[in-house]
Amino acid sequence: MEDKVVLLDFWPSSYAMRVKIALAEKDIQYEVKEENLSNKSSLLLEMNTVHNMILVLIHNGKPNCESLKIVYYIDQIYSLGKRVWKSKGDEQEAVKKEFIENLKILEG
């Protein structure tokens, strides 16, 4: 998970803390944007159109909502992504296919 990672949260959220711990464990750099729950930002409303609520992790412009799904995303995608970068040849192709299948599961 290299590129741009943004976390939309509210400082007292224990759900946000769960995600921040997962990001720290994977040593992923991210930007935090604190939300005002009485005056939600246009970014939050755009990224979570279903519930218009925090917690949202945005990775390269694509949102992930709900802390457990976000933690799963961080764990799965980071590990597979790292394997894609480190492998070569046929092994890399196999890992790419696994990576794409995981993305499809998460997207669903």
Side-chain angles (χ1 to χ4, degrees), residues 36-48:
N36 178 342
L37 299 183
S38 4
N39 186 18
K40 296 174 182 172
S41 72
S42 58
L43 180 61
L44 174 62
L45 297 174
E46 177 187 341
M47 291 292 130
N48 192 349

Side-chain angles (χ1 to χ4, degrees), residues 11-30:
W11 68 269
S13 170
S14 58
Y15 301 110
M17 186 55 65
R18 176 187 297 167
V19 171
K20 289 176 183 177
I21 290 169
L23 289 165
E25 285 293 318
K26 297 293 184 177
D27 198 28
I28 297 170
Q29 300 298 312
Y30 63 98

